[in-house]
Amino acid sequence: MTTALVTGANKGIGLEIVKQLIAKGMTVYLAARDPEKGEKAAADVGARFVRLDVTDAESVRQAAETVGSLDVLVNNAGITGGRANAPGEADVDAIRNVFETNVFGVVTVTEAFLPLLRRSARPRVVNMSSMVGSLANMLAGDTPNSLAYVPSKTALNAVTVSYARAEPSMRINAACPGYCATDLNGHRGHRTAAQGATAAVTLATLDDDGPTGGFYDEDGPIAW
Ligand code: NAP
């Protein structure tokens, strides 16, 4: 039996990833920071709930202890930080807050679950990034010019490559869901959360000869 854990999974794209991994026959831990929301969402879809706030190292440690063994980790939890944080108007505390969740949170969770993943026969890690974090897209002027969310996803891409280099027997990749209608963007996205989940699910179920250290949406590789 393959066991997966998805962070920030009580709603949005994370919840859809949980549903799609369950449909593939996996045992899935739906991780959420709010027990009430998490327990309800897990009961609704047939997942196991585990409390995990990616910015709270003790909750991450306890979640790893509860889960015990793991094959698939999806680092999905993420925040935008709200305001734009354009260069020249930067709010450094707000930027730091976004990095705490989107970058340092992913490192905290990955470090805690690496010992479990190393014991798996087919370990997979998926980091939910965004095409806005692509430096190529930034240079082309295709992304909002923000110092918080955008560079946090660029840093997350680098973190992804770093873990992939360190753990060559694992498949560790970054996924872009596309622009999906969720609470993150006031439901302005033109794709559904279920459509957004598919790239992550593909990377979570890669064969042993699948890629590692890459950045993908559902159509294939994205420029860094
Ligand atoms: P969402 O609906 O706002 O869901 C975000 C989830 O992250 C929620 O469950 C939230 O929990 C959780 N979360 C936030 N901070 C957390 C923390 N400290 N610890 C644990 N969980 C935390 O957003 P979404 O659109 O599904 O986004 C999911 C991922 O996809 C994010 O990484 C996002 O950056 C990425 N993404 C989304 C889009 C898009 O168009 N929607 C595009 C590109 C990338 P609460 O309910 O407790 O707040």
Side-chain angles (χ1 to χ4, degrees):
M1 176 64 83
T2 301
T3 303
L5 181 142
V6 185
T7 66
N10 52 286
K11 65 178 182 181
I13 297 166
L15 181 58
E16 295 300 328
I17 296 170
V18 168
K19 287 194 220 168
Q20 292 179 25
L21 294 180
I22 289 173
K24 291 192 176 291
M26 294 189 194
T27 298
V28 182
Y29 283 90
L30 183 156
R33 58 181 167 177
D34 181 322
E36 209 171 309
K37 291 184 198 165
E39 273 166 11
K40 185 182 178 313
D44 285 349
V45 301
R48 298 180 184 185
F49 167 67
V50 64
R51 185 176 173 275
L52 190 162
D53 180 331
V54 303
T55 63
D56 173 357
E58 178 54 20
S59 83
V60 175
R61 192 196 62 75
Q62 283 181 19
E65 201 174 289
T66 301
V67 170
S69 69
L70 192 71
D71 305 293
V72 174
L73 171 64
V74 182
N75 285 306
N76 167 77
I79 58 171
T80 62
R83 48 172 300 182
N85 264 301
E89 300 164 12
D91 175 343
V92 176
D93 285 339
I95 296 169
R96 193 176 285 120
N97 197 38
V98 171
F99 270 67
E100 284 294 344
T101 299
N102 295 6
V103 184
F104 309 140
V106 172
V107 174
T108 302
V109 172
T110 307
E111 290 292 320
F113 284 91
L114 262 188
L116 283 62
L117 291 162
R118 287 187 186 129
R119 294 199 298 269
S120 164
R122 300 186 68 194
R124 309 284 178 257
V125 179
V126 183
N127 293 333
M128 285 303 276
S129 184
S130 168
M131 69 201 310
V132 303
S134 157
L135 289 169
N137 285 341
M138 271 185 237
L139 287 165
D142 289 345
T143 61
N145 203 6
S146 150
L147 289 166
Y149 184 73
V150 170
S152 80
K153 294 300 188 182
T154 314
L156 176 60
N157 287 348
V159 164
T160 305
V161 174
S162 192
Y163 276 111
R165 290 177 64 194
E167 301 288 342
S169 65
M170 299 187 189
R171 307 291 92 187
I172 301 178
N173 293 288
C176 172
Y179 192 34
C180 303
T182 67
D183 288 351
L184 191 89
N185 51 35
H187 292 261
R188 283 188 295 272
H190 53 79
R191 288 160 59 79
T192 65
Q195 289 171 322
T198 60
V201 170
T202 299
L203 295 171
T205 54
L206 285 174
D207 289 335
D208 291 343
D209 60 356
T212 191
F215 182 25
Y216 298 90
D217 66 13
E218 67 181 12
D219 296 324
I222 302 176
W224 294 111

